[in-house]
Amino acid sequence: HHIRLTDFRNYSSCRVDLHSGMNCFIGRNGQGKTNLLEAVYYLSLLRSFRTSRLADLISWKKNGFVLSGQARDSAGRPVDLAVSQGLERKLLINHNPVYRASDFINQFVCVTFIPQDLELIQGDAQLRRRFMDIAISQSSPGFLRHLQAYGNALKSRNAMLRNLDKYPRTMITAYDCQMIREGIAVELARKEFARDINQSLEEKSVSLLTAERRLEVRYLSRLSNLLQCSDDDPDQLEATYRQGLEKSYERDCRYGYTAIGPHRADLSCILDGNLLNRYGSQGECRIASLALRFACLDIIRRRRGDDDVTLIVDDVFGELDAFHRRHFFAELTHGSQVLLACTAIPSELGRPDRLYNVSAGTLSSPQEKHEEE
């Protein structure tokens, strides 16, 4: 419904009231359009889609920032949210303190369409793992805790592997039980997500590419290869994973990190049987990244059973030709709430529900802008 920014990026103080439909932020480059979208995303996921450095989000010569706003839960009830980030982070839901990030995240759900999405195809495997994990956590509430518990166990195990004269093998392998339990949950959730992505991509390939072309993903994991013979039986999965860790133990000791687990997985993107990151053109990679995002959106809507998803769109259509622009905006307008940043209203869009002019960290009144139009 609305969001307030205090000392966030180039906004000293700003409140934005948002419509349930198409919200369009226009202005020249460098005025703060993307910063607004970033603030909404941060209030949903407690992370930026642009940087991992917290200092980048704080206004110049300030000690921290505050984001607050109101969303709506799946039952239509208002939910007040606030995050204060300074020397320490404070979280509030309906004015009550929250101490675990997993309890705060995804009070409302965002899906991004941003220029950096090209790296989902061309970038490191870590970016694709993050893409999967965020999407799964948005549609499967328990997943994030499995992922966090696995990460904590992995971090402790790796730290011990790098100090073998201090920690005996029994202490190192004590973390295997937690890694196995949580790692299997993460692995199975990702495999199911990859299957669902391919199901949705069959439709998106037709609308965003052509009927003759096929875009698909493959989940690549050494652990999955080990677990294929286990027929999803929990006891057999656990035994197979444990054997894999035991066989890899000497190698892990030599290199100082754990070689087997979901932290080493990748999501390979394939167009017409060829790896996109090796053989795809820039245009094909851009279209594939958009198709991945729309497929991800389909999965989230289907699993949650509702259409209450906020789409964050940051000028990703400039590289598209007329055919792909039409199909992109046709898909985009199906969203229940869209926040679109651009330098001018695209001709394919029509009249937005709300129009904001952004200039040097300030917004004009949407009503005044409509009167000007």
Side-chain angles (χ1 to χ4, degrees), residues 250-270:
E250 297 300 329
R251 183 247 175 244
D252 292 350
C253 290
R254 286 196 305 272
Y255 291 97
Y257 65 88
T258 305
I260 295 178
H263 62 287
R264 305 278 291 169
D266 196 358
L267 189 72
S268 179
C269 299
I270 299 167

Side-chain angles (χ1 to χ4, degrees), residues 8-197:
F8 184 88
R9 293 284 194 179
N10 68 328
Y11 290 90
S12 58
S13 180
C14 176
R15 171 175 164 142
V16 187
D17 294 300
L18 299 167
H19 194 274
S20 59
M22 176 66 69
N23 301 264
C24 189
F25 300 89
I26 64 169
R28 293 180 292 108
N29 292 331
Q31 302 304 301
K33 303 186 302 296
T34 301
N35 296 345
L36 285 170
L37 305 189
E38 185 181 27
V40 173
Y41 187 84
Y42 197 95
L43 198 60
S44 173
L45 285 158
L46 295 179
R47 67 185 304 147
S48 164
F49 58 72
R50 301 161 75 191
T51 179
S52 59
R53 282 173 39 88
L54 186 64
D56 294 342
L57 307 179
I58 302 172
S59 295
W60 178 247
K61 292 186 177 181
K62 299 295 182 178
N63 297 319
F65 65 81
V66 177
L67 299 174
S68 61
Q70 187 179 90
R72 183 183 63 199
D73 66 15
S74 57
R77 297 175 299 233
V79 180
D80 290 308
L81 303 169
V83 52
S84 173
Q85 186 72 68
L87 294 177
E88 61 179 18
R89 183 174 64 191
K90 296 179 180 179
L91 307 174
L92 298 174
I93 299 178
N94 292 329
H95 311 290
N96 296 314
V98 174
Y99 300 102
R100 292 193 303 190
S102 57
D103 292 332
F104 185 94
I105 287 173
N106 291 327
Q107 296 293 320
F108 69 98
V109 176
C110 290
V111 171
T112 57
F113 295 83
I114 54 178
Q116 298 92 321
D117 284 345
L118 194 62
E119 293 300 302
L120 293 177
I121 310 298
Q122 300 176 333
D124 295 336
Q126 176 185 359
L127 301 175
R128 289 181 286 277
R129 290 195 296 270
R130 184 185 304 159
F131 162 74
M132 286 188 287
D133 292 340
I134 290 176
I136 298 169
S137 71
Q138 290 175 317
S139 54
S140 303
F143 175 80
L144 184 57
R145 293 194 181 163
H146 288 300
L147 185 68
Q148 290 174 332
Y150 176 81
N152 291 335
L154 175 67
K155 183 178 179 181
S156 297
R157 189 179 194 269
N158 286 347
M160 291 183 176
L161 287 169
R162 291 189 286 269
N163 293 275
L164 294 174
D165 45 352
K166 183 177 179 181
Y167 299 104
R169 178 167 183 169
T170 52
M171 288 190 67
I172 297 174
T173 56
Y175 284 92
D176 289 2
C177 290
Q178 184 178 7
M179 283 187 58
I180 290 167
R181 181 178 65 251
E182 308 298 346
I184 287 175
V186 171
E187 196 77 2
L188 294 180
R190 285 180 179 174
K191 288 176 67 177
E192 181 184 7
F193 177 76
R195 288 193 296 267
D196 288 347
I197 280 281

Side-chain angles (χ1 to χ4, degrees), residues 4 23 79 114 121 127 152 154 158 174 205 214 229 234 273 300 308 318 324 335 337 339-340 357 360:
R4 181 181 293 277
N23 301 264
V79 180
I114 54 178
I121 310 298
L127 301 175
N152 291 335
L154 175 67
N158 286 347
S205 294
R214 178 177 175 80
C229 61
I300 293 171
D308 288 338
H324 290 110
Q337 183 177 55
L339 311 183
L340 173 69
N357 187 57

